[in-house]
Amino acid sequence: EAEIFTYDPGFMATASCHSAITYIDGEAGVLLYRGYPIEQLATKASFLEVAYLLLYGELPDERQLLAFEEAMARHSMINENLKGFLGGFHYDAHPMAILVGVVGSLSAFYHDSLDINDPQHREASALRLIAQVPTIAAAAYKHNVGEPIVYPRNALRYCANFLHMMFATPCADYKPGLIAEKALNLLFILHADHEQNASTSTVRLAGSSGANPFACIAAGIASLWGPAHGGANEAVLDMLEQIGDVSNVPKYLDKAKDKDDSFRLMGFGHRVYKHYDPRAKIIREVCHQVLEELADSNNPLFELALRLEEIALSDEYFVERKLYPNVDFYSGIIYRALGIPRNMFTVMFAIARTVGWVSHWMEMMADPNNRIGRPRQIYCGPTHRDYLPISQR
Ligand code: SDX
């Protein structure tokens, strides 16, 4: 234990908070959820087992998991009045715009009865959010495609339920394939939490003022949408289609290296990982399996992504700066193979990260020493000066 958890004082001096949820070692490419290596959880656990682990700190036993799954089913329907709100969006509103708006509006349904100082109220809010975000996400997709909302099915497992809400219609039921459910389960686990990233820090900062959890998670969704953060998975597909063919890779790598060019290699680089993102390694493997099983093994975008990685990692610009593929580099290729449209990729990230966001919110709110966050700045504006009447300016 000592060799993993010996923090250097410098690190502790800059740490924004103490947390027992997720541990990252960016140099070694280590990611632990409550001490469990992501590689083990990704291939052995269900997403709800991992959600329970992140929320409560321990893997559930059978009775606890059953109760958690039942709570998810019980809370998965959204208030029927939200259909009116959803219907008010333009048909082609980006699903992330719908998600941030509708999740924030959940405050209106629970705000008056919610006492965030009551641990049971906090837990009920957390369960409602984990259960309802997939329902809202699928409803956003249905709004985009002009189909009626599909209600959750309590008998289906979490990932299968989401796929059913996405692709079933009143005219034709939809039975999610096992490979799709397994792939989604793994992707949700890999995206569930990642320590104090931009969106999780946003949730913590919003929550530190005592704001209600629905508004805090809406703030996290807004932050995740940025292309430098969760929006990168959608941007990677745009980039691969823009590159088009492996013969164009050198030209685009030159653009990525050019300081005067705004083009960046999307899905590459990370604030913390200065080695291969362990999640990207797992997703690349799953890509092979999913495309194989979906008889799409010669997927041109995947082939291009593999060659792009190979060429970039032999280029000193990327090697010197320790820029490796991150969690967003390959995930969109799997989502696309599962029939998820590109504008839903970051929504998928938000569904999974809701578990991490509410876990950090719960951890922070349970801390009796929790105080309002108040980042400071280095002031670089004008020194003191006196007001001048406009005739003298
Ligand atoms: C996520 O924080 C988290 O944990 C986030 C996340 C999570 O799970 O929550 O892991 C999810 O957000 C992953 C990141 C997804 N974003 C992208 O893939 C967008 C492309 N990546 C870059 O925008 C960038 O790498 C960032 C935003 C991820 C990190 O930016 P930094 O911290 O500024 O990068 P850095 O300090 O490592 O940069 C060092 C050098 C700089 O050049 P120099 O000034 O040294 O000449 O590398 C350059 C950067 O300009 N660089 C890139 C690059 N990323 C960094 N150059 C080209 N392409 C890139 N992608």
Side-chain angles (χ1 to χ4, degrees):
E1 174 145 311
E3 73 280 359
I4 288 186
F5 295 101
T6 310
Y7 288 133
D8 66 74
F11 174 88
M12 289 308 282
T14 58
S16 58
C17 66
H18 289 80
S19 175
I21 299 174
T22 292
Y23 173 76
I24 300 173
D25 178 335
E27 289 303 329
V30 170
L31 171 54
L32 308 177
Y33 285 169
R34 300 282 190 181
Y36 292 95
I38 193 68
E39 295 79 4
Q40 294 180 25
L41 294 172
T43 50
K44 295 178 177 160
S46 74
F47 175 62
L48 287 190
E49 272 184 285
V50 172
Y52 187 99
L53 170 67
L54 289 168
L55 263 179
Y56 299 108
E58 297 297 335
L59 283 169
D61 61 25
E62 280 178 40
R63 184 186 54 78
Q64 290 164 330
L65 182 59
L66 188 63
F68 191 64
E69 287 167 345
E70 283 166 358
M72 286 298 110
R74 198 168 54 247
H75 288 302
S76 58
M77 263 182 70
I78 55 177
N79 188 297
E80 195 68 4
N81 291 325
L82 275 174
K83 284 170 86 171
F85 184 19
L86 272 155
F89 286 94
H90 200 258
Y91 79 92
D92 62 353
H94 194 289
M96 281 298 279
I98 298 176
L99 193 67
V100 73
V102 177
V103 170
S105 78
L106 294 178
S107 314
F109 291 93
Y110 301 115
H111 183 273
D112 295 346
S113 57
L114 171 63
D115 171 9
I116 57 170
N117 299 309
D118 181 334
Q120 286 182 323
H121 284 210
R122 293 202 294 268
E123 184 181 15
S125 306
L127 296 178
R128 279 199 172 105
L129 279 155
I130 297 172
Q132 292 184 14
V133 166
T135 309
I136 296 166
Y141 167 71
K142 286 304 197 186
H143 184 71
N144 276 171
V145 297
E147 291 176 4
I149 292 174
V150 171
Y151 289 89
R153 285 265 178 86
N154 291 354
L156 293 176
R157 288 185 297 265
Y158 190 86
C159 295
N161 205 357
F162 171 72
L163 290 167
H164 179 264
M165 289 189 282
M166 280 282 287
F167 299 122
T169 70
C171 322
D173 204 5
Y174 175 83
K175 189 167 173 6
L178 211 49
I179 183 67
E181 187 184 354
K182 258 176 68 183
L184 210 48
N185 183 74
L186 178 131
L187 286 169
F188 280 174
I189 289 172
L190 293 175
H191 286 82
D193 191 53
H194 211 239
E195 201 222 62
Q196 304 309 318
N197 56 86
S199 54
T200 301
S201 301
T202 300
V203 170
R204 277 185 172 257
L205 200 52
S208 71
S209 73
N212 78 73
F214 306 100
C216 296
I217 300 309
I221 294 169
S223 169
L224 182 75
W225 196 3
H229 190 11
N233 56 15
E234 184 177 342
V236 166
L237 263 287
D238 296 338
M239 174 187 74
L240 291 173
E241 284 186 350
Q242 192 183 353
I243 294 173
D245 181 85
V246 64
S247 59
N248 297 324
V249 165
K251 179 177 74 174
Y252 279 90
L253 291 189
D254 288 342
K255 283 170 65 67
K257 296 186 275 191
D258 178 356
K259 286 279 154 265
D260 299 329
D261 193 318
S262 61
F263 180 82
R264 305 276 285 226
L265 202 52
M266 301 313 281
F268 255 70
H270 200 276
R271 288 313 307 260
V272 177
Y273 290 123
K274 299 309 170 190
H275 198 278
Y276 216 103
D277 183 333
R279 302 167 297 177
K281 217 176 273 180
I282 297 169
I283 295 176
R284 188 181 58 187
E285 274 324 299
V286 170
C287 240
H288 279 293
Q289 294 160 19
V290 169
L291 296 176
E292 197 84 29
E293 304 238 355
L294 296 177
D296 186 12
S297 50
N298 298 320
N299 182 300
L301 286 182
F302 183 47
E303 295 306 318
L304 178 57
L306 290 169
R307 296 285 289 118
L308 174 58
E309 172 190 338
E310 186 189 323
I311 298 167
L313 294 187
S314 60
D315 182 311
E316 67 172 20
Y317 171 92
F318 294 92
V319 175
E320 268 172 18
R321 291 167 175 78
K322 300 182 179 179
L323 303 175
Y324 291 87
N326 59 50
V327 69
D328 292 308
F329 190 61
Y330 290 107
S331 56
I333 294 169
I334 297 182
Y335 289 137
R336 189 171 178 272
L338 299 181
I340 310 263
R342 191 166 314 172
N343 67 0
M344 283 288 290
F345 289 1
T346 310
V347 172
M348 305 302 284
F349 198 146
I351 293 173
R353 190 52 58 88
T354 295
V355 169
W357 289 331
V358 297
S359 301
H360 281 271
W361 178 76
M362 292 270 279
E363 181 182 64
M364 180 182 72
M365 296 307 288
D367 177 357
N369 303 314
N370 170 42
R371 299 173 67 197
I372 187 166
R374 181 58 176 85
R376 294 312 310 275
Q377 63 175 20
I378 295 170
Y379 178 70
C380 53
T383 52
H384 175 91
R385 51 184 174 164
D386 295 319
Y387 178 85
L388 284 176
I390 194 160
S391 58
Q392 295 177 33
R393 288 177 219 155

